[in-house]
Amino acid sequence: MPQGGTGLLDPPVKPGRGGTFVTKKQKRMLARILVSGALLVIAALLPAEGWIRRLVFLVPYVVIGWDVLWRAVRNIAHGQVFDENFLMTIATLGAMATGEYPEGVAVMLFYQVGELFQGYAVGRSRRSIAKLMDIRPDYANREADGQLIQVDPEEVAIGEVIVIKPGERIPLDGVVRGGRSTVDTAALTGESLPREVEPGDDVISGCINQSGALRVQVTRAFGESTVAKILNLMENSSAKKARAENFITRFAKVYTPVVVIGAALLAVIPPLFFSGEWAEWIHRALIFLVISCPCALVISVPLSFFGGIGGASKAGVLIKGGNYLEALARVETVVFDKTGTLTKGVFNVTVIHPDTVSEAQLLEIAALAECDSDHPVSRSLRETYGKAIGRGRIGRVEELAGRGVRAEVDGRTVCVGNDKLMEEVGVAWHPCHRVGTTVHVAVDGVYAGHLVISDEVKPDAAQAIEALRREGVRRTVMLTGDAKAVGESVAKALGVDEVHAELLPADKVDQVEALLTQKSPKGTLAFVGDGINDAPVLSRADVGIAMGGMGSDAAIEAADIVLMDDKPSKIAEAVEISRKTLRIVRQNIVFALAVKALVLLLGAAGLANMWEAVFADVGVSVLAILNAMRAMRK
């Protein structure tokens, strides 16, 4: 659209009391439209002739169109000739020059009405994004000498304790150390039901503390906090255009000069070679120019993608760009990591089977060896052990990706991990008949026994798989590093089509590579994961989807789409939103091109007047924008 219009990348404007986005600039434009419209009516009623009539119509024309004229001149000076400002300037000035004063003013007036409507529509499409922008906290309450001091959240260091009063926004990610309350997470997750928190629970920035005061120990600096990352994702989302957006941009660059040349030929050839009247063919050429403005395409297509991203954000799904929204609409294979994605990632030790030591000793050895690991299995071993870890008993610790850990405990070499680690160190082990993740323990090359740790499936995991099938996803796959029996048990319970177990991180990449070769040429593959070892797979997939609430920083950074509430059922909702958005984009492209082609032919044949030309430009733009705004609805 014209350079001075409200752009999709302009800063969001906070809504007024009515909840609508109206800027001062838009209010001034509305006033100009009303004044120009009134002056146009007066000019049409005045019995003026000759130069006086021209002057009378020139007043409302200048009132409503001076900025379009200025932008056309400025853009020509900068080498940008063929744009909407140029088309409107040539068409309206030509109409005025040929004595069609009312039409010249009316075309510019309706064009500015369309611009005003576009600005309002863009503001509406930004509403959910603007709400996200409002989640940035203004201050944090730091304790000092028994007093609460308001400081910039960026000044609070990791480990400090802050106080969040009822009604205040949580400024930084942290762990509750005192107090109980309910937390409103709707701005981030789209969930209206508040979440109860108590000492030991994690809280994330951007949520609102509702009922009680909380003392929170900060675990992340502001720059690394959830709210900062969300703002960064949304601010950069418009920079990554979908193929349809890039097509329209390229199309407009070719289309506009072609129609300008076509209009010039239409004005010149019939009078020169076929004895046509100059005034008649120039008028047809001007109508041709008004019809040809690509406004409907240039604004409605990116607005549709922007609205789709905004609609997804309302549901707690952050999409990093229109290209990912478009890719998600074509997804036919969805690959899941298991732990933390389809399951809660909250492990409990359910079985302790010692061989050469007691149960208590087996648990103690495993907990000590796993003391430095942040893996969910390691945390569950330490929590079950429940005693303080004597660091003096632990020497060098080596974490072995996808297998376990090797550590020195009380001067002995302890290996704790899966079957592959036992095979690697040459220890004779035996499987367990209980379903779950089996953790084997070996001390100085001797098998000491094993523990079984079970994970709990997420409540909506089965629903997520079924919803994806309803959305037309042909294949669901689960990849896991767990034992085959565990993986198959979970896959059967959830209805996943196929499962590949006992995989190292590199094996997951290989599996995704193989699956990518099996999809159709136009289809895409999405991978859903949450752990740091999922980052390579997230990057390799056509669409990487990360769990944002509990997922690792590396996974969120590598992903194209982030689920803020860790619910796999949101994937199907995101697919539905993306497909709806693509349908709207296609509708607008076909509708705009079809109407313009028809009216262009009618205009060239002399069967369409300037008012019909205005409909083909402004009317089609307004209808396309209205259709694009449907993408914002969940």
Side-chain angles (χ1 to χ4, degrees), residues 398-410:
E398 181 184 3
E399 190 153 355
L400 307 170
R403 289 162 290 168
V405 299
R406 182 187 288 116
E408 291 181 5
V409 179
D410 294 333

Side-chain angles (χ1 to χ4, degrees), residues 183-339:
V183 175
D184 180 1
T185 65
L188 274 69
T189 67
E191 294 295 323
S192 58
L193 188 65
R195 182 170 68 93
E196 295 184 0
V197 294
E198 58 185 21
D201 289 342
D202 293 324
V203 291
I204 57 176
S205 51
C207 301
I208 297 175
N209 180 29
Q210 291 188 318
S211 55
L214 294 174
R215 297 181 75 254
V216 173
Q217 185 176 23
V218 175
T219 55
R220 288 180 181 175
F222 179 77
E224 297 298 319
S225 66
T226 302
V227 67
K229 289 182 178 179
I230 292 173
L231 295 178
N232 182 60
L233 290 179
M234 299 314 296
E235 286 167 359
N236 294 325
S237 64
S238 299
K240 298 174 181 176
K241 292 186 177 181
R243 289 189 302 173
E245 292 179 276
N246 288 323
F247 163 74
I248 291 303
T249 301
R250 294 193 303 269
F251 174 81
K253 287 181 179 179
V254 176
Y255 168 83
T256 307
V258 166
V259 296
V260 171
I261 294 170
L265 294 175
L266 186 64
V268 172
I269 290 178
L272 285 180
F273 299 102
F274 303 101
S275 303
E277 295 185 7
W278 283 97
E280 169 66 18
W281 286 99
I282 289 174
H283 187 63
R284 290 191 190 186
L286 296 174
I287 292 173
F288 191 90
L289 281 178
V290 173
I291 297 168
S292 67
C293 274
C295 305
L297 292 174
V298 172
I299 185 59
S300 68
V301 171
L303 181 62
S304 299
F305 281 103
F306 200 74
I309 291 172
S313 71
K314 289 181 181 178
V317 180
L318 302 186
I319 301 176
K320 294 184 180 181
N323 53 338
Y324 305 125
L325 188 75
E326 187 176 43
L328 186 63
R330 295 183 286 113
V331 69
E332 62 182 28
T333 303
V334 179
V335 183
F336 294 91
D337 174 51
K338 182 182 79 70
T339 305

Side-chain angles (χ1 to χ4, degrees), residues 337-341 343-349 366-367 370 372-384 399 405 437 439 452-456 482 508 530-534 550-552:
D337 174 51
K338 182 182 79 70
T339 305
T341 303
T343 63
K344 292 182 177 180
V346 179
F347 292 85
N348 296 304
V349 177
E370 296 273 11
D372 288 333
S373 176
D374 196 42
H375 192 279
V377 170
S378 305
R379 290 198 298 268
S380 67
L381 288 170
R382 295 194 300 270
E383 288 170 5
T384 304
E399 190 153 355
V405 299
T437 300
V439 179
V452 176
I453 298 175
S454 301
D455 193 5
E456 186 178 348
D482 280 345
K508 291 184 180 180
D530 77 309
I532 190 168
N533 61 349
D534 294 327
M550 297 299 291
S552 72

Side-chain angles (χ1 to χ4, degrees), residues 324 327 333 335 479 505-519 523-528 533-545 554-555 557-560:
Y324 305 125
T333 303
V335 183
L479 306 181
D507 297 330
K508 291 184 180 180
V509 177
D510 292 339
Q511 286 291 341
V512 168
E513 293 276 5
L515 291 167
L516 284 168
T517 64
Q518 298 169 21
K519 64 183 179 65
T524 59
L525 178 146
F527 178 83
V528 191
N533 61 349
D534 294 327
V537 203
L538 288 165
S539 300
R540 181 62 190 90
D542 295 322
V543 184
I545 303 175
E557 187 68 26
D560 309 313

Side-chain angles (χ1 to χ4, degrees), residues 473-487:
V473 172
R474 300 177 185 175
R475 190 179 187 185
T476 54
V477 182
M478 188 178 77
L479 306 181
T480 178
D482 280 345
K484 185 177 180 181
V486 176

